[in-house]
Amino acid sequence: MKIPLHMAKEKDLQAAGLRAVPEEEKQQALVKGIDQYRQWARSLMVMLETCTKCGACANACHSYLGTGDFNNIPAARADLFRKLYKRYFTWTGKTIGRYIGAEDYDAETLAKWVTYFYQCNECRRCAVYCPFGIDTAEITIAARSIMTALGVVPRFMTGVAANMIKTGNNMGIPKPATIDCCEFMEDEMKEETGLDIKIPVDKPDSDILYIPSSADFFSNVDTMIGVAKFFHAIGANWTIPSTVLEAANFGLLFSMDAMKEQNQRMREAAKMVGAKLVVQGECGHGWRAAKMYTEGANGPAPFGLVHILDYAYQNMDKLKFEKLPWRVTLHDPCNYARAGDIIEQPRELLKACVSEFVEMTPNRERNFCCGGGSGILMDEMMDIRMQLGKKKAEQVKELLPLDFFATPCSICKAQLPHVMKFYGMEDLKMGGVMDVVGKAIVLA
Amino acid sequence: MSNIDVKGQQIEVDEDGFLVDPDVWNQDIVEAFAKLEDVSELTEDHWKVINYLRDYYKQFGIAPMIRKLCKDTGFSLKQIYDMFPSGPAKGACKLAGLPKPTGCV
Ligand code: SF4
Ligand code: SF4
C-alpha cells in the first residue's frame, strides 16, 4: 500500500535525535513498544479491551465522514492496534487468534498504522459518543509514539522536532530574529495607538512568562499584538522566553519523550525569569500537553499555569472595549473543548468585543475538528486535509455572511484558510480570539 | 529528495521542492522554480521580494514575518499572492532559495 506521507529518512531522523530500527527487527520492536506503553498507560488497556463494535463512534468522526474510508471509523482505526495487542498479549489471541480478530504482524502492518493513525486528528470527538468513553485519540497518540521509536515518522514531524532542538520553537526562529519581530510589532502598535507597548524577551524578574506560538512570529501577528495590548492594559510584569518560543508541543503528536523534554524547557524558562505564572498562548494541543502533562509527567511545578483566554477572561473587569460592528462565530479547538476546559471564556471575550456573536452547530464539546488537528499540516496531505475539513466547512457555510471567523489555535489557523478556500469561502477573514481582543480593546 | 534539471545541471531539492543547499542558489534556479510555481514572468517586483527575503535570511537565518515582508517591500499580501500564486511562504521563499517555513503554517 502507498503511504500518503513523506516519511523521515536517516538524515531527518538524526537531526531530530531519532534512529531507525533495522527492517528485520521492526516486528520485535513494535511488540516491545506496545508492551512498554501499555504498562506505562493503563488507560490504553481499558480502551483496547472494551470496544463492543456497537458503531456509535462512526458518525461522530469527521475523518470517517469526510473520507468515507472504512479504516477511519474510530473503532476500525483502533482495531489496527487492537489486533496486534490481542495477538501478542492475550491468551485467546495467542491460541485462537483469527477467530477473535487477532492478527499477525506482516509487511503491511506499519504502512497501515502510519496511514490511518495520521488521518486521526486526535480530536476526541469519538469519545463523547462512545457509550464506554473509548478515546481513539489515546490509541493514536500511543501508536504514533511507538512508531517514532522505530524511526517510522513523517518528515514533517522530524523537521519540527529538529527545529525545536536547535532553537526552542517549531519554526526554527533564532533569538535575534525573535527580537527583530518584537521590535517590528512594537512599531506597529506605536503607529496604531501612539503608545509604547513592549514585548519583552527573556526579561529577568518577570511575574508572568507568556509562551506564544512560533507561528505568531510569522503569520499570526495579530494574536501576539492582541496579547501584548492585553498585558499592557492590565499593567502586567511579563516576558516571553527565547528558549521556548512555542506553545505547541508536537511531542504529544509523535513522541511522548519529546513532549516531556519540551515541558521541561518551559519549566526551566519559568525558573530563569522567576515567573510565578506561566500563561500559554493560542494553541490547542499545546495547552493539553502543558495542562495535563507538565506535572503528571514531569513532577510538581513551582508556578501556576493558565491559558491566555482564561487569563484574559479572569481580567475582563479591568478591560475596556469598544465593540466592533462584526458578525463573528467561534470554532472550538478540540483540545480546548474536549481536553482543556476552555469553552465559555472565548465566548465571553468575543461577546464583549463584537456586535453579533453566533454559534455554529454543533458547538462546544460536540464541535467538529478543523481537520488539521494533531499536526496534519503536511503539504502532501492536502487532498486528505480537505476531506478532513469538510464537516467544518459545512458548519461555517450555514452561518454566512460573517465578518470574522475566530479560530484560536495555531493549527486551526494554518489549516482553515485552505479549507475555506477549497469550499468556496476564500474571502472569509480569520484569526484568533486575542486578535479580536486586541482590535476592540481601549487603551489609556 | 530528488533533482531538478537547471540548464543541464542537476540541482537537489527536498520532497517539497525546496533547495536542499541554499548556497547553490542562482538566477537560473530562480527561473526554473518560477516555471514550477506558475510565475509567468519574473519582473522587477518579483526580484524586490526575492532579494528582500534573501537579505533577511542571511541576517537572521529565518524568513521574515509576512507582515514585515509586506511593509518593507511595500506590497500588499494580495499583490504578493498575485506575484507568487502559492503565497509568500511556499512560493516566494522557494524562489528565494530559503528552506520551507515549517510548523503551524
Ligand atoms: S462507540 Fe465505542 S464501543 Fe462502540 S464501536 Fe465505537 S469505540 Fe467501540
Ligand atoms: S479522535 Fe477524532 S479523528 Fe480520531 S478517531 Fe476519534 S473522532 Fe476520529
Side-chain angles (χ1 to χ4, degrees):
Chain A
M1 94 182 269
K2 195 176 169 333
I3 298 169
L5 289 145
H6 295 154
M7 300 303 289
K9 311 233 170 69
E10 195 55 48
K11 203 178 93 203
D12 308 313
L13 291 170
Q14 259 172 23
L18 300 165
R19 58 177 274 276
V21 167
E23 221 35 62
E24 64 280 7
E25 292 168 28
K26 283 216 163 87
Q27 172 175 352
Q28 213 192 348
L30 183 66
V31 173
K32 197 172 148 214
I34 295 174
D35 197 20
Q36 284 171 342
Y37 205 103
R38 74 181 177 130
Q39 296 191 37
W40 178 63
R42 299 291 294 174
S43 54
L44 180 70
M45 301 284 295
V46 179
M47 319 264 171
L48 292 173
E49 296 273 0
T50 315
C51 177
T52 60
K53 305 288 173 342
C54 72
C57 53
N59 286 331
C61 176
H62 66 285
S63 169
Y64 171 61
L65 294 173
T67 60
D69 188 329
F70 173 82
N71 283 317
N72 279 330
I73 294 175
R77 190 190 318 282
D79 256 11
L80 297 173
F81 195 117
R82 199 172 278 125
K83 281 172 188 166
L84 279 125
Y85 164 73
K86 281 192 173 166
R87 166 65 185 80
Y88 296 100
F89 299 102
T90 66
W91 186 78
T92 42
K94 284 180 196 165
T95 49
I96 52 162
R98 62 195 175 89
Y99 297 106
I100 59 143
E103 205 174 270
D104 283 328
Y105 177 94
D106 66 26
E108 292 276 89
T109 301
L110 280 169
K112 273 193 236 150
W113 271 44
V114 171
T115 300
Y116 293 107
F117 288 120
Y118 281 95
Q119 281 179 49
C120 168
N121 288 117
E122 301 180 1
C123 77
R124 314 188 76 208
R125 194 168 193 271
C126 46
V128 178
Y129 291 83
C130 171
F132 304 99
I134 294 177
D135 179 1
T136 305
E138 282 299 316
I139 297 172
T140 296
I141 289 170
R144 289 189 186 183
S145 194
I146 292 167
M147 282 192 285
T148 297
L150 269 58
V152 179
V153 55
R155 184 171 168 263
F156 177 73
M157 294 294 175
T158 53
V160 164
N163 280 342
M164 176 52 71
I165 291 170
K166 217 165 61 192
T167 59
N169 62 77
N170 290 354
M171 294 205 66
I173 305 171
K175 182 169 177 178
T178 303
I179 292 170
D180 182 66
C181 291
C182 290
E183 285 169 1
F184 173 74
M185 289 187 277
E186 288 167 356
D187 289 347
E188 291 278 287
M189 289 187 281
K190 175 96 184 174
E191 267 175 42
E192 189 201 329
T193 64
L195 299 169
D196 287 312
I197 302 168
K198 294 282 167 225
I199 305 179
V201 183
D202 296 333
K203 186 174 77 61
D205 302 318
S206 295
D207 298 331
I208 294 174
L209 181 75
Y210 177 69
I211 311 229
S213 161
S214 63
D216 299 354
F217 286 70
F218 183 66
S219 36
N220 311 324
V221 186
D222 281 330
T223 306
M224 189 64 241
I225 285 182
V227 171
K229 286 184 182 173
F230 160 69
F231 280 135
H232 178 88
I234 63 165
N237 172 20
W238 69 294
T239 189
I240 59 167
S242 67
T243 50
V244 54
L245 193 77
E246 192 59 84
N249 189 337
F250 271 42
L252 179 64
L253 315 176
F254 78 95
S255 155
M256 292 307 262
D257 292 335
M259 183 198 70
K260 283 192 240 171
E261 277 166 31
Q262 189 176 326
N263 280 343
Q264 198 53 35
R265 260 180 194 270
M266 181 247 274
R267 297 160 70 96
E268 277 157 24
K271 197 169 148 200
M272 207 160 70
V273 300
K276 295 184 252 336
L277 185 66
V278 171
V279 181
Q280 281 271 326
E282 289 192 356
C283 167
H285 79 274
W287 173 235
R288 183 177 183 201
K291 180 183 159 95
M292 301 301 187
Y293 296 97
T294 300
E295 297 215 302
N298 299 57
F303 49 78
L305 185 61
V306 66
H307 190 275
I308 184 67
L309 298 181
D310 196 10
Y311 195 58
Y313 170 68
Q314 288 173 28
N315 281 282
M316 266 176 81
D317 57 343
K318 295 189 199 132
L319 306 175
K320 231 181 102 201
F321 296 111
E322 198 177 298
K323 281 197 180 189
L324 305 159
W326 290 359
R327 179 177 153 89
V328 175
T329 192
L330 170 73
H331 161 66
D332 286 280
C334 307
N335 280 293
Y336 291 171
R338 286 187 284 270
D341 201 20
I342 307 285
I343 295 180
E344 299 307 328
Q345 303 94 322
R347 289 176 164 75
E348 293 308 317
L349 288 165
L350 287 173
K351 281 180 203 159
C353 291
V354 303
S355 57
E356 190 185 359
F357 173 74
V358 284
E359 291 281 6
M360 63 175 73
T361 319
N363 56 52
R364 295 181 167 84
E365 76 282 0
R366 289 179 189 256
N367 195 26
F368 282 107
C369 176
C370 68
S374 77
I376 304 187
L377 292 174
M378 307 86 180
D379 275 349
E380 70 269 22
M381 288 281 282
M382 203 50 101
D383 291 347
I384 292 172
R385 282 167 59 188
M386 294 308 104
Q387 293 168 8
L388 299 180
K390 188 165 169 257
K391 287 308 286 183
K392 183 90 276 157
E394 288 168 8
Q395 284 189 283
V396 176
K397 207 163 233 173
E398 276 174 30
L399 297 174
L400 296 180
L402 289 164
D403 298 297
F404 193 83
F405 179 22
T407 64
C409 158
S410 284
I411 286 182
C412 308
K413 287 172 193 167
Q415 159 81 350
L416 285 170
H418 293 286
V419 172
M420 293 304 134
K421 189 171 173 198
F422 185 83
Y423 291 99
M425 291 174 273
E426 193 174 349
D427 296 330
L428 187 53
K429 288 200 175 47
M430 286 173 252
V433 168
M434 289 311 291
D435 306 33
V436 180
V437 168
K439 289 198 160 58
I441 203 164
V442 180
L443 297 171
Chain B
M1 225 94 53
S2 57
N3 288 330
I4 58 163
D5 183 90
V6 180
K7 295 201 171 158
Q9 229 194 327
Q10 294 299 307
I11 301 293
E12 205 184 351
V13 294
D14 66 13
E15 280 85 347
D16 296 307
F18 281 64
L19 268 193
V20 170
D21 177 6
D23 291 339
V24 304
W25 182 88
N26 61 37
Q27 182 151 356
D28 291 340
I29 292 176
V30 180
E31 279 162 18
F33 278 160
K35 281 201 199 87
L36 295 171
E37 284 295 317
D38 293 327
V39 177
S40 46
E41 195 205 334
L42 281 165
T43 64
E44 214 173 288
D45 289 351
H46 286 91
W47 282 106
K48 192 172 171 189
V49 173
I50 290 168
N51 288 329
Y52 178 80
L53 286 172
R54 281 197 74 79
D55 288 344
Y56 193 92
Y57 183 73
K58 237 179 259 161
Q59 193 180 349
F60 290 108
I62 188 85
M65 291 174 114
I66 293 174
R67 188 171 300 170
K68 187 170 161 81
L69 165 73
C70 292
K71 200 170 187 187
D72 289 356
T73 58
F75 297 121
S76 68
L77 190 54
K78 186 176 175 305
Q79 283 172 310
I80 300 221
Y81 268 96
D82 288 344
M83 281 188 254
F84 304 93
S86 43
K90 280 164 204 160
C93 283
K94 183 185 279 185
L95 265 67
L98 271 56
K100 183 171 187 285
T102 191
C104 298
V105 293

